[in-house]
Short mmCIF file of all heavy atoms in Angstrom, two decimals:
data_model
loop_
_atom_site.label_atom_id
_atom_site.label_comp_id
_atom_site.label_asym_id
_atom_site.label_seq_id
_atom_site.Cartn_x
_atom_site.Cartn_y
_atom_site.Cartn_z
N ILE J 223 -173.52 -17.92 -8.26
CA ILE J 223 -173.29 -17.89 -9.75
C ILE J 223 -174.56 -17.19 -10.38
O ILE J 223 -175.76 -17.69 -10.28
CB ILE J 223 -173.31 -19.34 -10.29
CG1 ILE J 223 -171.94 -20.03 -9.77
CG2 ILE J 223 -173.34 -19.35 -11.79
CD1 ILE J 223 -171.87 -21.45 -10.16
N ARG J 224 -174.44 -16.07 -10.77
CA ARG J 224 -175.41 -15.24 -11.47
C ARG J 224 -176.70 -15.11 -10.60
O ARG J 224 -177.87 -15.16 -11.08
CB ARG J 224 -175.88 -15.93 -12.82
CG ARG J 224 -174.68 -16.12 -13.82
CD ARG J 224 -175.14 -16.61 -15.09
NE ARG J 224 -175.75 -17.96 -15.10
CZ ARG J 224 -175.09 -19.14 -15.21
NH1 ARG J 224 -173.72 -19.04 -15.47
NH2 ARG J 224 -175.64 -20.15 -15.10
N ASP J 225 -176.41 -15.00 -9.29
CA ASP J 225 -177.52 -14.89 -8.31
C ASP J 225 -178.60 -15.96 -8.50
O ASP J 225 -179.74 -15.83 -8.20
CB ASP J 225 -178.31 -13.54 -8.48
CG ASP J 225 -177.49 -12.35 -8.21
OD1 ASP J 225 -176.55 -12.46 -7.16
OD2 ASP J 225 -177.55 -11.28 -8.78
N GLY J 226 -178.03 -17.15 -8.80
CA GLY J 226 -178.92 -18.42 -8.94
C GLY J 226 -179.68 -18.44 -10.28
O GLY J 226 -180.50 -19.37 -10.41
N ARG J 227 -179.59 -17.64 -11.18
CA ARG J 227 -180.15 -17.54 -12.45
C ARG J 227 -179.68 -18.68 -13.31
O ARG J 227 -178.39 -18.61 -13.74
CB ARG J 227 -180.23 -16.33 -13.09
CG ARG J 227 -180.98 -15.19 -12.27
CD ARG J 227 -181.10 -13.92 -13.11
NE ARG J 227 -179.84 -13.37 -13.56
CZ ARG J 227 -179.09 -12.57 -12.75
NH1 ARG J 227 -179.68 -12.18 -11.61
NH2 ARG J 227 -178.04 -12.03 -13.24
N MET J 228 -180.44 -19.61 -13.82
CA MET J 228 -179.94 -20.64 -14.67
C MET J 228 -179.85 -20.26 -16.07
O MET J 228 -180.73 -19.48 -16.61
CB MET J 228 -181.02 -21.84 -14.53
CG MET J 228 -180.68 -23.00 -15.51
SD MET J 228 -182.16 -24.14 -15.43
CE MET J 228 -181.68 -25.16 -16.96
N MET J 229 -178.83 -20.84 -16.80
CA MET J 229 -178.75 -20.62 -18.30
C MET J 229 -178.90 -21.99 -18.86
O MET J 229 -178.66 -23.10 -18.19
CB MET J 229 -177.38 -20.02 -18.61
CG MET J 229 -177.23 -18.61 -18.20
SD MET J 229 -175.53 -18.04 -18.35
CE MET J 229 -175.36 -18.27 -20.21
N ASP J 230 -179.34 -21.96 -20.10
CA ASP J 230 -179.58 -23.22 -20.79
C ASP J 230 -178.25 -24.18 -20.71
O ASP J 230 -178.30 -25.37 -20.54
CB ASP J 230 -180.01 -23.14 -22.27
CG ASP J 230 -181.32 -22.47 -22.41
OD1 ASP J 230 -182.10 -22.61 -21.38
OD2 ASP J 230 -181.71 -21.99 -23.43
N SER J 231 -177.24 -23.56 -20.79
CA SER J 231 -175.83 -24.24 -20.80
C SER J 231 -175.60 -25.07 -19.58
O SER J 231 -174.86 -26.02 -19.47
CB SER J 231 -174.68 -23.40 -21.13
OG SER J 231 -174.56 -22.35 -20.25
N ASP J 232 -176.28 -24.56 -18.46
CA ASP J 232 -176.07 -25.18 -17.12
C ASP J 232 -176.50 -26.58 -17.03
O ASP J 232 -175.95 -27.48 -16.32
CB ASP J 232 -176.67 -24.47 -16.11
CG ASP J 232 -176.10 -23.06 -15.92
OD1 ASP J 232 -174.85 -22.83 -15.97
OD2 ASP J 232 -176.90 -22.06 -15.54
N VAL J 233 -177.44 -26.97 -17.93
CA VAL J 233 -177.91 -28.41 -17.93
C VAL J 233 -176.77 -29.37 -18.22
O VAL J 233 -176.65 -30.45 -17.68
CB VAL J 233 -178.90 -28.56 -19.00
CG1 VAL J 233 -179.40 -30.01 -19.20
CG2 VAL J 233 -180.21 -27.68 -18.55
N VAL J 234 -175.82 -28.90 -19.04
CA VAL J 234 -174.60 -29.73 -19.32
C VAL J 234 -173.49 -29.36 -18.46
O VAL J 234 -172.80 -30.25 -18.00
CB VAL J 234 -174.18 -29.58 -20.79
CG1 VAL J 234 -172.91 -30.29 -21.20
CG2 VAL J 234 -175.30 -30.23 -21.77
N ASP J 235 -173.27 -28.01 -18.24
CA ASP J 235 -171.95 -27.63 -17.60
C ASP J 235 -172.05 -28.12 -16.14
O ASP J 235 -170.89 -28.30 -15.51
CB ASP J 235 -171.96 -26.15 -17.60
CG ASP J 235 -171.65 -25.54 -19.03
OD1 ASP J 235 -171.13 -26.36 -19.84
OD2 ASP J 235 -171.95 -24.35 -19.28
N TYR J 236 -173.28 -28.10 -15.46
CA TYR J 236 -173.27 -28.34 -14.10
C TYR J 236 -173.55 -29.79 -13.87
O TYR J 236 -174.39 -30.20 -13.03
CB TYR J 236 -174.44 -27.55 -13.46
CG TYR J 236 -174.25 -27.40 -11.92
CD1 TYR J 236 -173.27 -26.74 -11.34
CD2 TYR J 236 -175.36 -27.81 -11.12
CE1 TYR J 236 -173.08 -26.64 -9.90
CE2 TYR J 236 -175.32 -27.79 -9.62
CZ TYR J 236 -174.14 -27.10 -9.27
OH TYR J 236 -174.01 -26.88 -7.80
N GLN J 237 -172.86 -30.65 -14.62
CA GLN J 237 -172.99 -32.16 -14.46
C GLN J 237 -171.64 -32.73 -14.84
O GLN J 237 -171.05 -32.34 -15.79
CB GLN J 237 -174.04 -32.64 -15.42
CG GLN J 237 -174.61 -34.06 -15.12
CD GLN J 237 -175.71 -34.09 -14.05
OE1 GLN J 237 -175.22 -34.35 -12.88
NE2 GLN J 237 -176.89 -33.84 -14.25
N THR J 238 -171.11 -33.81 -14.19
CA THR J 238 -169.94 -34.47 -14.55
C THR J 238 -170.32 -35.38 -15.80
O THR J 238 -171.37 -35.82 -15.99
CB THR J 238 -169.52 -35.39 -13.43
OG1 THR J 238 -170.44 -36.29 -13.26
CG2 THR J 238 -169.19 -34.49 -12.09
N VAL J 239 -169.23 -35.66 -16.55
CA VAL J 239 -169.37 -36.50 -17.78
C VAL J 239 -169.61 -38.00 -17.40
O VAL J 239 -170.16 -38.64 -18.25
CB VAL J 239 -168.25 -36.32 -18.67
CG1 VAL J 239 -168.08 -35.04 -19.29
CG2 VAL J 239 -167.07 -36.77 -18.06
N TYR J 240 -169.41 -38.35 -16.17
CA TYR J 240 -169.65 -39.65 -15.73
C TYR J 240 -170.70 -39.73 -14.78
O TYR J 240 -171.04 -40.80 -14.10
CB TYR J 240 -168.38 -40.25 -15.07
CG TYR J 240 -167.66 -39.34 -14.18
CD1 TYR J 240 -168.13 -39.32 -12.77
CD2 TYR J 240 -166.60 -38.56 -14.40
CE1 TYR J 240 -167.57 -38.45 -11.73
CE2 TYR J 240 -165.86 -37.80 -13.57
CZ TYR J 240 -166.51 -37.64 -12.14
OH TYR J 240 -165.84 -36.92 -11.24
N ALA J 241 -171.62 -38.69 -14.73
CA ALA J 241 -172.75 -38.72 -13.77
C ALA J 241 -173.60 -39.88 -14.19
O ALA J 241 -173.96 -40.09 -15.34
CB ALA J 241 -173.53 -37.41 -13.77
N ASP J 242 -174.20 -40.71 -13.27
CA ASP J 242 -174.95 -42.03 -13.58
C ASP J 242 -176.18 -42.10 -12.78
O ASP J 242 -177.21 -42.63 -13.10
CB ASP J 242 -174.02 -43.09 -13.58
CG ASP J 242 -174.78 -44.41 -13.98
OD1 ASP J 242 -175.34 -44.50 -15.04
OD2 ASP J 242 -174.81 -45.40 -13.26
N ARG J 243 -176.12 -41.79 -11.48
CA ARG J 243 -177.06 -42.18 -10.43
C ARG J 243 -177.81 -40.87 -9.89
O ARG J 243 -177.16 -40.05 -9.12
CB ARG J 243 -176.47 -42.87 -9.33
CG ARG J 243 -175.74 -44.13 -9.83
CD ARG J 243 -175.16 -45.00 -8.75
NE ARG J 243 -176.23 -45.61 -7.84
CZ ARG J 243 -175.98 -46.36 -6.83
NH1 ARG J 243 -174.77 -46.58 -6.47
NH2 ARG J 243 -177.01 -46.99 -6.16
N PRO J 244 -178.99 -40.54 -10.27
CA PRO J 244 -179.68 -39.39 -10.01
C PRO J 244 -179.94 -39.30 -8.43
O PRO J 244 -180.21 -40.27 -7.82
CB PRO J 244 -181.06 -39.51 -10.63
CG PRO J 244 -180.85 -40.43 -11.72
CD PRO J 244 -179.81 -41.37 -11.18
N GLY J 245 -179.69 -38.02 -7.81
CA GLY J 245 -179.86 -37.96 -6.46
C GLY J 245 -179.41 -36.64 -5.85
O GLY J 245 -179.72 -36.31 -4.72
N SER J 246 -178.50 -35.90 -6.52
CA SER J 246 -177.85 -34.88 -5.86
C SER J 246 -178.58 -33.56 -6.21
O SER J 246 -179.11 -33.37 -7.36
CB SER J 246 -176.26 -34.62 -6.50
OG SER J 246 -175.53 -35.61 -5.80
N VAL J 247 -178.55 -32.55 -5.23
CA VAL J 247 -179.14 -31.21 -5.52
C VAL J 247 -177.99 -30.20 -5.71
O VAL J 247 -178.32 -29.04 -5.95
CB VAL J 247 -180.09 -30.83 -4.48
CG1 VAL J 247 -181.29 -31.84 -4.25
CG2 VAL J 247 -179.29 -30.62 -3.09
N ALA J 248 -176.74 -30.62 -5.72
CA ALA J 248 -175.71 -29.77 -6.17
C ALA J 248 -174.63 -30.73 -6.62
O ALA J 248 -174.50 -31.82 -6.35
CB ALA J 248 -175.14 -29.07 -4.90
N ALA J 249 -173.80 -30.16 -7.69
CA ALA J 249 -172.74 -30.97 -8.34
C ALA J 249 -171.65 -31.18 -7.40
O ALA J 249 -171.30 -30.41 -6.64
CB ALA J 249 -172.26 -30.21 -9.56
N PRO J 250 -171.05 -32.48 -7.51
CA PRO J 250 -169.73 -32.82 -6.92
C PRO J 250 -168.69 -32.03 -7.88
O PRO J 250 -168.15 -32.50 -8.86
CB PRO J 250 -169.63 -34.25 -7.10
CG PRO J 250 -170.57 -34.66 -8.15
CD PRO J 250 -171.55 -33.60 -8.22
N THR J 251 -168.36 -30.89 -7.41
CA THR J 251 -167.68 -29.82 -8.47
C THR J 251 -166.39 -30.30 -8.93
O THR J 251 -165.82 -29.88 -9.98
CB THR J 251 -167.77 -28.47 -7.85
OG1 THR J 251 -167.16 -28.43 -6.65
CG2 THR J 251 -169.16 -27.92 -7.75
N ALA J 252 -165.57 -30.99 -8.09
CA ALA J 252 -164.22 -31.30 -8.61
C ALA J 252 -164.35 -32.10 -9.85
O ALA J 252 -163.44 -32.07 -10.69
CB ALA J 252 -163.38 -32.04 -7.55
N GLY J 253 -165.36 -32.91 -9.98
CA GLY J 253 -165.43 -33.76 -11.11
C GLY J 253 -165.94 -32.99 -12.42
O GLY J 253 -165.80 -33.62 -13.44
N LEU J 254 -166.36 -31.78 -12.28
CA LEU J 254 -166.76 -31.03 -13.47
C LEU J 254 -165.60 -30.78 -14.45
O LEU J 254 -165.79 -30.42 -15.52
CB LEU J 254 -167.39 -29.74 -13.04
CG LEU J 254 -168.61 -29.75 -12.18
CD1 LEU J 254 -169.09 -28.38 -11.85
CD2 LEU J 254 -169.81 -30.45 -12.94
N HIS J 255 -164.36 -30.89 -13.86
CA HIS J 255 -163.16 -30.53 -14.77
C HIS J 255 -162.76 -31.67 -15.73
O HIS J 255 -162.04 -31.51 -16.61
CB HIS J 255 -162.02 -30.32 -13.87
CG HIS J 255 -162.19 -29.15 -12.98
ND1 HIS J 255 -162.22 -27.88 -13.41
CD2 HIS J 255 -162.30 -29.11 -11.68
CE1 HIS J 255 -162.38 -27.05 -12.48
NE2 HIS J 255 -162.42 -27.68 -11.40
N PHE J 256 -163.35 -32.87 -15.46
CA PHE J 256 -163.02 -34.07 -16.36
C PHE J 256 -163.84 -34.16 -17.69
O PHE J 256 -164.95 -33.80 -17.69
CB PHE J 256 -163.13 -35.30 -15.59
CG PHE J 256 -162.14 -35.49 -14.49
CD1 PHE J 256 -162.31 -35.00 -13.26
CD2 PHE J 256 -160.94 -36.23 -14.70
CE1 PHE J 256 -161.35 -35.05 -12.23
CE2 PHE J 256 -159.99 -36.38 -13.69
CZ PHE J 256 -160.18 -35.74 -12.54
N THR J 257 -163.17 -34.55 -18.71
CA THR J 257 -163.86 -34.92 -20.02
C THR J 257 -163.50 -36.45 -20.31
O THR J 257 -162.62 -36.98 -19.77
CB THR J 257 -163.26 -34.01 -21.15
OG1 THR J 257 -161.94 -34.25 -21.32
CG2 THR J 257 -163.38 -32.54 -20.92
N LYS J 258 -164.33 -37.00 -21.13
CA LYS J 258 -164.07 -38.40 -21.41
C LYS J 258 -162.72 -38.62 -22.03
O LYS J 258 -162.04 -39.58 -21.75
CB LYS J 258 -165.26 -38.86 -22.36
CG LYS J 258 -166.58 -39.00 -21.60
CD LYS J 258 -167.66 -39.65 -22.41
CE LYS J 258 -168.90 -39.76 -21.59
NZ LYS J 258 -170.09 -40.14 -22.45
N PRO J 259 -162.25 -37.78 -23.04
CA PRO J 259 -160.86 -37.98 -23.65
C PRO J 259 -159.87 -37.84 -22.50
O PRO J 259 -158.92 -38.57 -22.46
CB PRO J 259 -160.75 -36.93 -24.53
CG PRO J 259 -162.17 -36.60 -24.94
CD PRO J 259 -162.91 -36.74 -23.76
N LEU J 260 -159.92 -36.89 -21.49
CA LEU J 260 -159.00 -36.72 -20.42
C LEU J 260 -158.90 -38.10 -19.61
O LEU J 260 -157.81 -38.50 -19.18
CB LEU J 260 -159.26 -35.59 -19.52
CG LEU J 260 -158.37 -35.37 -18.23
CD1 LEU J 260 -156.85 -35.19 -18.78
CD2 LEU J 260 -158.85 -34.30 -17.36
N ILE J 261 -160.13 -38.58 -19.30
CA ILE J 261 -160.21 -39.77 -18.41
C ILE J 261 -159.46 -40.96 -19.23
O ILE J 261 -158.71 -41.71 -18.57
CB ILE J 261 -161.63 -40.09 -18.17
CG1 ILE J 261 -162.13 -39.13 -17.19
CG2 ILE J 261 -161.69 -41.54 -17.49
CD1 ILE J 261 -163.75 -39.34 -16.95
N GLU J 262 -159.63 -41.02 -20.61
CA GLU J 262 -159.02 -42.04 -21.29
C GLU J 262 -157.44 -41.95 -21.23
O GLU J 262 -156.73 -42.80 -21.14
CB GLU J 262 -159.53 -41.97 -22.69
CG GLU J 262 -158.91 -43.22 -23.62
CD GLU J 262 -159.10 -44.55 -23.03
OE1 GLU J 262 -160.18 -44.84 -22.26
OE2 GLU J 262 -158.15 -45.41 -23.25
N GLN J 263 -157.06 -40.71 -21.37
CA GLN J 263 -155.55 -40.34 -21.33
C GLN J 263 -155.03 -40.69 -19.93
O GLN J 263 -153.85 -41.33 -19.87
CB GLN J 263 -155.23 -38.88 -21.64
CG GLN J 263 -155.56 -38.46 -23.04
CD GLN J 263 -155.51 -36.92 -23.12
OE1 GLN J 263 -154.71 -36.25 -22.33
NE2 GLN J 263 -156.30 -36.23 -23.93
N ILE J 264 -155.69 -40.48 -18.87
CA ILE J 264 -155.23 -40.85 -17.62
C ILE J 264 -155.12 -42.37 -17.37
O ILE J 264 -154.13 -42.76 -16.87
CB ILE J 264 -156.29 -40.25 -16.43
CG1 ILE J 264 -156.07 -38.73 -16.40
CG2 ILE J 264 -156.12 -40.91 -15.19
CD1 ILE J 264 -157.25 -38.10 -15.61
#
């Protein structure tokens, strides 16, 4: 992704909306697709 160059938006984009316990050095990427409204609909 952009040869590893970070953008300010990555701080939010590269994190799941339910992330709670610090410890990962890479995102669990399947979870990036969920929003809080979608979880509530589900």
Side-chain angles (χ1 to χ4, degrees):
I223 296 176
R224 303 186 297 271
D225 294 323
R227 295 189 300 274
M228 174 187 166
M229 294 174 57
D230 290 343
S231 58
D232 293 320
V233 174
V234 173
D235 291 340
Y236 199 62
Q237 196 80 265
T238 66
V239 297
Y240 47 80
D242 181 57
R243 305 182 67 182
S246 284
V247 300
T251 55
L254 296 179
H255 297 292
F256 288 85
T257 63
K258 290 182 177 179
L260 176 64
I261 292 172
E262 182 57 33
Q263 293 172 28
I264 285 170

